[in-house]
Amino acid sequence: MARQRNNRKRRLQPNFIKQQFGFFKRMLTEAVGRKLIPIHPAADLRAIGGRRRKCAARPIEATDTLTEAELEVLLTWALDVLPPRIYVLICLMALAGLRLGEARALHRTDLELDYRHPKDGRQPRLFVRRTERLGELGPPKYGSSRYVPVVPLLEAVLREWIGRLPPNTIWVLPARLPRVGSKRRESFRASGQDPNAGWCIAEETFRYHWNKLMRVVPLGRQLPPKSLRHAFCTIALNQGETLEWVSTHMGHRDCVVTQTVYGLWANPPGLGVFAEWIVTQNLPVTSHFGQPEAVEILEALGVPSTTIAKYCARLAPAPPAPLTMTAEMDGPDTCGVEPPSPHPFVL
């Protein structure tokens, strides 16, 4: 009986699993930081419970995002109601399309406001290369960093905000260290970050002020923080940007995700100036191609006679090519085709 009990599989304790998994995850994080591996394979895994539940991309409705007028109203109210650092965070999400964790994890060195392109000249931009979640820093979603252009309004806000920051901080949105004894503080201690450098603003702090803003802003509906990111994408598509441009700057996996989520704005019903011109023309509804009345319709529309002649020439049937008999085709049995030789392996 004792031997049978010892052969049974031991059930590991949850604390032991968390300890071992935490060591393994920190080792992978260090490998990503030293560029030994390109992405963190366990970034979205937990010690107990497996992979976090992920929802498939679904198309959004017009009520899930903000128009340009609504975004202007929201930014105006946020400037009066919210603290300055929360306003800067909202501008980063609405005017640059950053995710909440990406905007909170920005360093001052990620702001390249004086960048000059070799050909196109001055182009301020942001370098998005990390995100923060529960006290841990990791690569952005899908493990790829990207550059995001900075519009003039966002540049003015960032320059004003950076001028107020103390010179010794590395964060764009600095805050106090996580509370002692919390899970975020344990993750911060295990990550090996410098306590003297401080930490970024917490997600709970932003959501508290966001809910406060939603109670006073006159939008007529309650929206989550992700609506700021939706607004950046839908406004860019309405202004004529391509799906490839939006997908790259939003950090999507591919253009299929952008098409699936923002298909309502990616496929507008009209075709621009050409569609408006077509509506003003008195064109036939049905096609008369190949019919005798097609020539009359073309003459009524003022089509030149040379074009009508070319049209009629296309409709005229081509004369059949003369059939010439050759010596090989003279035989009544072969008809110009030699009989196939028998296969050597077929009886």
Side-chain angles (χ1 to χ4, degrees):
M1 290 293 294
R3 181 175 299 178
Q4 292 180 358
R5 291 177 182 176
N6 293 335
N7 290 338
R8 291 179 181 177
K9 187 176 181 180
R10 290 180 53 190
R11 182 178 179 84
L12 300 178
Q13 297 298 323
N15 292 335
F16 178 78
I17 297 176
K18 291 181 179 180
Q19 179 185 11
Q20 298 298 318
F21 183 78
F23 171 76
F24 176 67
K25 198 169 184 179
R26 289 193 297 272
M27 181 178 63
L28 293 176
T29 304
E30 184 68 19
V32 173
R34 297 186 180 185
K35 298 182 179 180
L36 299 178
I37 56 178
I39 61 174
H40 198 314
D44 55 350
L45 295 180
R46 294 181 296 176
I48 299 177
R51 187 179 297 270
R52 296 199 309 266
R53 184 177 63 89
K54 292 185 177 181
C55 300
R58 63 174 184 85
I60 65 171
E61 303 294 337
T63 55
D64 298 331
T65 182
L66 297 166
T67 62
E68 294 187 48
E70 291 175 338
L71 182 59
E72 183 178 356
V73 172
L74 186 141
L75 293 178
T76 303
W77 277 83
L79 187 60
D80 297 334
V81 177
L82 302 180
R85 59 175 182 171
I86 304 298
Y87 180 77
V88 174
L89 182 53
I90 289 179
C91 290
L92 286 171
M93 297 178 63
L95 303 179
L98 301 187
R99 299 180 178 92
L100 179 56
E102 295 172 347
R104 293 187 297 109
L106 280 176
H107 285 183
R108 298 181 64 170
T109 55
D110 299 332
L111 305 183
E112 302 181 8
L113 302 181
D114 297 324
Y115 172 76
R116 298 189 65 86
H117 193 270
K119 295 183 179 179
D120 301 332
R122 185 174 176 275
Q123 291 186 350
R125 63 183 186 178
L126 303 176
F127 186 29
V128 183
R129 53 181 169 180
R130 71 181 68 84
T131 186
E132 191 274 343
R133 184 179 181 274
L134 297 178
E136 295 184 3
L137 292 178
K141 193 174 182 180
Y142 305 119
S144 59
S145 58
R146 67 187 188 277
Y147 286 100
V148 179
V150 177
V151 297
L153 176 59
L154 180 58
E155 181 184 359
V157 171
L158 290 176
R159 289 189 181 276
E160 177 69 21
W161 174 247
I162 292 299
R164 301 183 181 184
L165 293 179
N168 58 345
T169 180
I170 65 173
W171 301 96
V172 175
L173 300 169
R176 295 178 297 178
L177 292 178
R179 180 175 53 85
V180 177
S182 62
K183 181 178 179 181
R184 185 176 285 106
R185 185 58 178 266
E186 294 298 325
S187 299
F188 171 79
R189 182 187 59 82
S191 62
Q193 300 289 333
D194 184 11
N196 299 324
W199 197 244
C200 60
I201 184 174
E203 180 180 352
E204 292 79 7
T205 303
F206 171 76
R207 292 189 179 275
Y208 167 78
H209 289 285
W210 175 263
N211 295 332
K212 178 181 176 182
L213 177 64
M214 285 292 101
R215 288 193 293 266
V216 297
V217 65
L219 292 178
R221 62 188 186 279
Q222 296 292 320
L223 294 173
K226 196 173 184 179
S227 60
L228 298 172
R229 185 169 156 87
H230 291 329
F232 171 82
C233 184
T234 54
I235 292 175
L237 290 174
N238 284 335
Q239 293 180 351
E241 297 293 347
T242 61
L243 278 176
E244 292 79 8
W245 187 93
V246 173
S247 178
T248 301
H249 291 82
M250 292 279 287
H252 288 165
R253 181 178 67 247
D254 48 32
C255 292
V256 177
V257 176
T258 312
Q259 175 70 35
T260 302
V261 180
Y262 305 102
L264 183 61
W265 293 266
N267 298 319
L271 297 177
V273 179
F274 179 74
E276 297 176 358
W277 177 83
I278 286 293
V279 174
T280 60
Q281 305 301 311
N282 187 19
L283 299 178
V285 179
T286 59
S287 175
H288 298 276
F289 184 82
Q291 304 297 328
E293 58 267 22
V295 177
E296 301 177 359
I297 295 176
L298 293 176
E299 293 177 350
L301 294 175
V303 179
S305 57
T306 56
T307 305
I308 298 178
K310 293 180 180 178
Y311 170 79
C312 296
R314 290 178 56 188
L315 297 181
L323 182 62
T324 58
M325 298 293 292
T326 61
E328 289 80 2
M329 299 175 57
D330 197 11
D333 298 331
T334 60
C335 295
V337 179
E338 297 182 358
S341 59
H343 198 278
F345 297 100
V346 178
L347 297 178

